[in-house]
Amino acid sequence: MNSLNKVQSHLLAECFNKLFIGGQFVDAIDGKKISTYYPATGDFLHEFPRGKANDVDAAVAAAEAAWEEGTWAGMSAAERADIVTKMAQGIEDNIEMLAEIEAADVGKPYRQAAMTLGGAAGEGKYWCSLGKVLDAEQDVPVNSGGGEGGVPPAEWDVVYRRDPIGVIGLISAWNYPMNVAFRKVAPALIAGNCAILKPSEIAGLSCMFIGKLAQDAGIPPGVFNVVTGDRDAGAALAASPSVSMISFTGSTLTGSKIMGACAPKLSQVALELGGKSALVVFDDTDLDKAVETTMKGFLTNGGQICTAHTRLVVQDGIEARLLNKLKEELEKLPFCNDPITEKDRGDRAWEDGMTDVVQPVVCESQHKKIMGFLNGAKAAGVEVLTGGDVPDDATVGNSGGYFIQPTVLINVERDADVWQKEVFGPVLSVRSFSTEDDAVLEANSTSFGLASTVMSSDPAKAMRVANRIRAGAVFATSTGEGLLAEHPAVSRGGFGCSGVGRELGIGGLHEYTELKSVNYTGFSLADAKKKHTG
Ligand code: NAD
């Protein structure tokens, strides 16, 4: 059995072939399908239901019925978390199968998929640990203090609560399918909401397994639903009058459309969008570490990561040496022609770098889009230090895949598309600077603000620059170690066109709640509680 056949045998399971609505696996009403292909060869991988607006309506109705019935929202957050823990455990128990599916669907090396799926399971358990924290936040006396008159009148018995929002739409991207989706599913459910997940049509097969996890964990019917489909299904979900919030991860353009769809009904949005992160390298940085960090920053997951550091802002004193070494290292990298079996190449400590192979990009349309950026840049006279093209089949070791050479563009103008727009592929744009002020100016010179990194051996300088960078997550480092790593307790999100709201941390759970104050007067809170529980 070849590697693709093995993945196809996993995909025979019901959950990878049906929608999950009202606790049941069901066919799409119109019976339409979406086909998906293995990025390393372009071979057919699988077909799955193309849910439409009528399927979205059915899922919303199931979620609404579960919300109105009230069992899920009526449980304590800790009780809900106990159930969601089983789902997180289910990811952990099935890592090998899910990693093979993500390797085949996204084209990422198996070992990287396995590592990030482990991260999704671990993060799920973190969310579950917050169940008790959320319970402890219910009926907490308001005593914010601070400033003159900052405490409510003594005769008020006023408390805060955090209520679930209601029926929520979760729309996710394809680059880390399970991570992006489960980062929404777990907090949305623990907070007491009912949800509909709409995974990406480009690569969302692993997300279909979440329906099975919910069923096996005993989530009540309708509380969690999965509708696969394309942008029409996403648009129907965002526009549904019964959906009170959309939590979205994807491109900035789609984010703004979703905001537009939610505006007439004033439903809430949480938007995790695109980025164009800068890696600022001062000339007091160790050369090898700077090169390693640059490669990891723009090549991890083939550059298809929202926080990819695709702009290098390098001080003129180290620029020539860094670019020479970078070119040399990039041209040595092998292509990964079978991500499903890419388990242990052993020629580089991949956990440190994750840049030991060049993976294909996810699909034909992304390949065209990236090559469009590169051809446009070349036509406009942008200098190519290395790459800039499609590798030949002999170099890759097979044909038909969506490969692009790792590409470095130098002396890029600040207003060039490849400096300003998210390419979402293995493409790095470089500009140099001389002073600290210039470094800040360059780092802040796009409309995005998701992440950025400052490298220097001078901690005070690194801190000064980090504090002036406009991004939701800034990394100041002399080594680059831990670049792109996330911890579930540390919130992240975007400034500017990179998003609205924050994910992760307790704030990430609060995104799925409404803050409510209840003011008890004429009787005490203690009496109210006694009667309520008694
Ligand atoms: P995309 O915007 O094309 O699609 C994302 C999802 O939105 C898909 O499920 C798609 O079907 C759906 N969709 C498309 N049009 C829609 C519409 N009009 N209404 C409702 N839903 C619609 O993004 P993508 O190509 O899947 O993902 C790549 C993008 O995601 C990049 O921009 C990347 O930076 C971003 N991303 C951001 C983060 C983050 O945390 N900030 C994480 C991962 C990816």
Side-chain angles (χ1 to χ4, degrees):
M1 195 191 283
N2 71 24
S3 61
L4 198 56
N5 293 153
K6 186 175 176 208
V7 176
Q8 284 167 331
S9 70
H10 300 320
L11 295 171
L12 294 173
E14 187 180 41
C15 63
F16 298 115
N17 293 281
K18 302 218 173 199
L19 310 178
F20 182 65
I21 297 179
Q24 304 292 323
F25 288 100
V26 297
D27 290 318
I29 295 167
D30 294 346
K32 299 270 188 275
K33 305 266 185 191
I34 296 177
S35 295
T36 182
Y37 302 89
Y38 186 30
T41 58
D43 289 334
F44 173 79
L45 169 63
H46 188 57
E47 60 173 21
F48 59 91
R50 185 187 292 272
K52 300 265 184 205
N54 47 7
D55 300 295
V56 169
D57 289 347
V60 171
E64 222 177 351
W67 172 252
E68 278 162 13
E69 192 271 332
T71 303
W72 186 249
M75 293 163 76
S76 71
E79 286 169 327
R80 291 189 293 260
D82 281 347
I83 298 175
V84 176
T85 302
K86 294 184 194 155
M87 297 172 70
Q89 187 59 48
I91 297 176
E92 196 166 300
D93 294 345
N94 289 282
I95 279 185
E96 196 175 321
M97 174 194 71
L98 292 168
E100 286 179 347
I101 290 174
E102 289 203 350
D105 206 12
V106 183
K108 65 176 75 193
Y110 169 90
R111 55 206 172 151
Q112 198 193 115
M115 187 196 78
T116 53
L117 282 157
E123 188 183 304
K125 290 181 185 171
Y126 164 79
W127 289 119
C128 295
S129 74
L130 292 185
K132 287 195 207 87
V133 177
L134 191 60
D135 286 334
E137 288 180 330
Q138 303 295 24
D139 301 316
V140 172
V142 175
N143 184 14
S144 37
E148 247 174 83
V151 180
E155 65 275 19
W156 289 19
D157 228 345
V158 54
V159 293
Y160 279 141
R161 293 186 58 79
R162 287 209 170 258
D163 283 1
I165 294 171
V167 173
I168 292 191
L170 312 172
I171 303 178
S172 59
W174 49 264
N175 54 340
Y176 288 87
M178 177 63 88
N179 295 67
V180 170
F182 204 63
R183 181 170 289 182
K184 299 182 183 306
V185 172
L189 294 183
I190 291 166
N193 301 287
C194 296
I196 301 103
L197 171 67
K198 207 300 279 173
S200 167
E201 65 278 30
I202 292 180
L205 294 175
S206 61
C207 303
M208 298 176 81
F209 192 65
I210 308 177
K212 171 156 172 51
L213 294 175
Q215 196 181 50
D216 290 352
I219 301 264
V223 167
F224 176 68
N225 308 272
V226 184
V227 177
T228 50
D230 60 19
R231 65 185 59 185
D232 295 342
L237 186 56
S240 170
S242 306
V243 171
S244 304
M245 176 190 182
I246 293 288
S247 170
F248 170 74
T249 298
S251 64
T252 296
L253 178 65
T254 307
S256 87
K257 286 185 188 162
I258 286 175
M259 215 173 187
C262 290
K265 52 183 176 141
L266 291 173
S267 53
Q268 296 193 21
V269 289
L271 305 175
E272 294 294 325
L273 308 178
K276 194 79 189 174
S277 301
L279 171 64
V280 177
V281 178
F282 281 93
D283 61 11
D284 54 6
T285 307
D286 176 89
L287 181 67
D288 289 342
K289 291 195 163 88
V291 171
E292 179 81 22
T293 308
T294 305
M295 289 172 67
K296 183 175 177 182
F298 91 96
L299 273 187
T300 299
N301 203 33
Q304 305 164 119
I305 172 167
C306 53
T307 48
H309 285 48
T310 52
R311 292 184 301 130
L312 175 65
V313 176
V314 56
Q315 198 161 24
D316 33 26
I318 194 177
E319 184 186 14
R321 283 179 296 136
L322 192 158
L323 293 181
N324 281 341
K325 181 100 192 344
L326 180 64
K327 177 173 157 60
E328 191 186 311
E329 290 292 328
L330 288 174
E331 289 175 1
K332 280 198 293 209
L333 282 180
F335 287 85
C336 173
N337 63 5
D338 190 7
I340 301 167
T341 55
E342 186 71 38
K343 294 204 168 148
D344 185 17
R345 187 171 286 262
D347 55 0
R348 201 176 180 122
W350 83 279
E351 291 87 352
D352 294 338
M354 290 204 264
T355 46
D356 56 353
V357 286
V358 182
Q359 68 187 67
V361 301
V362 69
C363 64
E364 195 178 1
S365 62
Q366 282 297 117
H367 191 268
K368 270 196 189 135
K369 186 176 149 203
I370 298 162
M371 287 312 298
F373 271 109
L374 290 182
N375 292 332
K378 286 189 277 187
V382 175
E383 265 178 85
V384 180
L385 176 74
T386 184
D389 230 318
V390 174
D392 55 42
D393 292 350
T395 312
V396 173
N398 61 19
S399 60
Y402 312 125
F403 289 93
I404 294 178
Q405 294 169 331
T407 298
V408 180
L409 305 171
I410 55 175
N411 300 319
V412 174
E413 295 293 331
R414 211 185 281 145
D415 61 358
D417 275 0
V418 286
W419 190 260
Q420 292 295 336
K421 297 188 178 163
E422 190 185 43
V423 177
F424 225 54
V427 180
L428 178 73
S429 295
V430 184
R431 283 179 61 79
S432 62
F433 71 92
S434 49
T435 68
E436 206 172 300
D437 282 347
D438 286 346
V440 173
L441 182 90
E442 296 294 355
N444 290 338
S445 64
T446 76
S447 57
F448 294 105
L450 194 59
S452 272
T453 291
V454 188
M455 283 194 93
S456 169
S457 55
D458 175 348
K461 181 162 63 187
M463 188 175 188
R464 278 196 305 273
V465 174
N467 289 349
R468 293 174 67 193
I469 289 181
R470 294 190 50 74
V474 181
F475 192 53
T477 174
S478 60
T479 62
E481 230 168 280
L483 184 84
L484 305 178
E486 290 175 350
H487 189 280
V490 181
S491 348
R492 33 156 292 155
F495 283 30
C497 291
S498 288
V500 173
R502 291 293 177 268
E503 277 194 326
L504 302 181
I506 184 71
L509 182 60
H510 287 165
E511 290 270 338
Y512 295 93
T513 65
E514 293 273 21
L515 182 64
K516 176 167 92 183
S517 64
V518 185
N519 190 346
Y520 294 88
T521 58
F523 44 78
S524 75
L525 171 64
D527 278 350
K529 275 189 174 170
K530 216 184 310 162
K531 296 266 185 303
H532 177 64
T533 52

